[in-house]
Amino acid sequence: MSPEVKNKLQPPASLSANLARFPGTCAFPAEVAATTPITFPKQSGLRFPLSSASGGGEKDSETGWAAGPGDGDMAVPQAFPPGPLHEPAGTLVEPQLCPRSLAEGFLEEELRLNAELSQLQFSEPVGIIYNPVEYAWEPHRSYVTRYCQGPKQVLFLGMNPGPFGMAQTGVPFGEVSVVRDWLGIGGSVLTPPQEHPKRPVLGLECPQSEVSGARFWGFFRNLCGQPEVFFRHCFVHNLCPLLFLAPSGRNLTPADLPAKQREQLLGLCDAALSRQVQLLGVRLVVGVGRLAEQRARRALAGLMPEVQVEGLLHPSPRSPQANKGWEPVAKERLNELGLLPLLTK
């Protein structure tokens, strides 16, 4: 394995041209598409996923970040006031000419970040990089276009994918059974250009449970009943789209990277988060885990006080507090934040 890992760009391609290949996409008018090119990056020769029929398809946490001892020690903020409801449509339609949607704008921002990250080089201890926004594009795009159709008051923010969560499904905290059976997300998941034998990507056929994701989405399934109730006001996203693996297959977090490389990586991710928060009209960012909260505060300092940043205990099985019962802690925290009225029928 080369001591340096670098992602390379694909040939330029129009975002609208690629989105229009999938059902349920709102295509740009031709004159607009011609003036808004965006390139699809690849990792070590990865080709952009081809459209296909819907099919099959952590470290113990989605992010791989350890839950700090202070994750549950947070000040109680003022209640977060509810606002207008934004019902997701949930029904796929044929491509048609229409104004640029929020989902398209969000996907554009993700692809812009991918293109920027593809220019970075990572040295030891990084051996392999997975980017599920690329090889799991179909289910990821389905998640965004289905559940990001209108403005969002609240953004739950994780740090980066884990090998059994988003790395398999393209969905943040993406426990396979929840993604498939509750969120109703499907689509082909390709093989990363470099795949570690100890971290195979099996997509929606992956038998390994993602504990943090099962806790996270299971809690909201019990609380909200239907995903549409959760996504009326809320969305879930990871700050960084990349999963880092050591040559041994060990999951690496951004904290494990050399300082200069870590700050280059997270600086680009911070800027993307700021754009995404403004695009969606987010008023409250809830960092899942202390590190996600801290990074969000840094990234969004220029948007405060209009945008509030708070924290939620990470559901990692490495967190003793979470193992004692994460759901009651999470529910109490959401009550402190004034979010429960937004998450119930």
Side-chain angles (χ1 to χ4, degrees):
M1 183 65 62
S2 169
E4 291 189 341
V5 179
K6 180 177 179 180
N7 301 330
K8 299 179 181 179
L9 288 176
Q10 290 219 19
S14 162
L15 173 63
S16 60
N18 283 282
L19 291 180
R21 294 163 54 209
F22 298 91
T25 297
C26 206
F28 291 117
E31 64 274 12
V32 176
T35 61
T36 56
I38 185 166
T39 55
F40 289 82
K42 64 181 180 179
Q43 294 185 5
S44 306
L46 176 64
R47 293 177 296 175
F48 183 77
L50 298 177
S51 176
S52 64
S54 177
E58 359 209 91
K59 234 164 189 180
D60 44 46
S61 72
E62 169 67 8
T63 68
W65 291 75
D71 274 352
D73 184 19
M74 303 170 186
V76 179
Q78 294 181 349
F80 185 71
L85 301 181
H86 301 284
E87 291 279 2
T91 303
L92 298 179
V93 295
E94 293 300 320
Q96 55 185 306
L97 296 181
C98 67
R100 176 176 178 269
S101 70
L102 272 180
E104 288 169 341
F106 195 87
L107 291 169
E108 271 192 338
E109 287 295 344
E110 291 191 296
L111 293 170
R112 173 181 172 180
L113 176 60
N114 272 6
E116 294 170 344
L117 295 180
S118 72
Q119 301 303 304
L120 301 180
Q121 294 186 359
F122 299 93
S123 58
E124 294 182 352
V126 177
I128 294 178
I129 298 173
Y130 287 5
N131 189 342
V133 173
E134 294 176 337
Y135 63 78
W137 170 256
E138 285 196 17
H140 178 76
R141 180 203 162 275
S142 177
Y143 167 72
V144 174
T145 55
R146 178 176 295 193
Y147 294 120
C148 194
Q149 296 184 1
K152 303 297 180 183
Q153 295 188 36
V154 183
L155 180 68
F156 289 91
L157 184 72
M159 275 302 301
N160 70 305
F164 305 116
M166 186 173 177
Q168 301 293 332
T169 64
V171 175
F173 293 94
E175 160 72 14
V176 168
S177 62
V178 176
V179 169
R180 182 186 59 224
D181 302 331
W182 192 60
L183 297 180
I185 300 298
S188 296
V189 176
L190 303 185
T191 301
Q194 292 181 311
E195 184 178 47
H196 198 286
K198 293 183 179 179
R199 292 290 182 261
V201 172
L202 304 175
L204 295 175
E205 301 301 320
C206 178
Q208 178 73 42
S209 177
E210 205 288 294
V211 178
S212 295
R215 287 176 174 175
F216 181 86
W217 287 116
F219 167 72
F220 286 110
R221 177 175 55 191
N222 293 336
L223 181 65
C224 303
Q226 298 298 321
E228 289 76 14
V229 176
F230 175 84
F231 289 104
R232 280 193 193 125
H233 302 288
C234 303
F235 196 60
V236 182
H237 180 57
N238 277 333
L239 176 68
C240 174
L242 304 181
L243 165 66
F244 299 95
L245 297 174
S248 65
R250 179 173 63 90
N251 186 27
L252 301 172
T253 74
D256 296 319
L257 304 179
K260 182 177 179 180
Q261 296 176 23
R262 179 176 65 247
E263 288 310 310
Q264 288 177 333
L265 168 74
L266 295 180
L268 293 172
C269 295
D270 287 351
L273 176 64
S274 179
R275 296 191 300 266
Q276 292 159 347
V277 163
Q278 293 177 79
L279 174 69
L280 300 183
V282 172
R283 297 166 58 196
L284 174 65
V285 175
V286 180
V288 184
R290 177 56 60 88
L291 290 172
E293 176 191 355
Q294 291 174 342
R295 199 71 206 188
R297 290 188 185 280
R298 178 172 176 173
L300 304 175
L303 302 180
M304 298 177 183
E306 288 77 12
V307 177
Q308 182 181 352
V309 177
E310 298 294 343
L312 175 67
L313 176 70
H314 199 287
S316 170
R318 290 178 297 142
S319 166
Q321 187 177 0
N323 289 335
K324 292 178 182 178
W326 184 76
E327 287 201 8
V329 174
K331 189 170 185 179
E332 176 60 27
R333 181 60 175 156
L334 297 183
N335 185 52
E336 293 171 354
L337 294 172
L339 295 180
L340 290 182
L342 301 182
L343 295 166
T344 57
K345 296 180 180 180

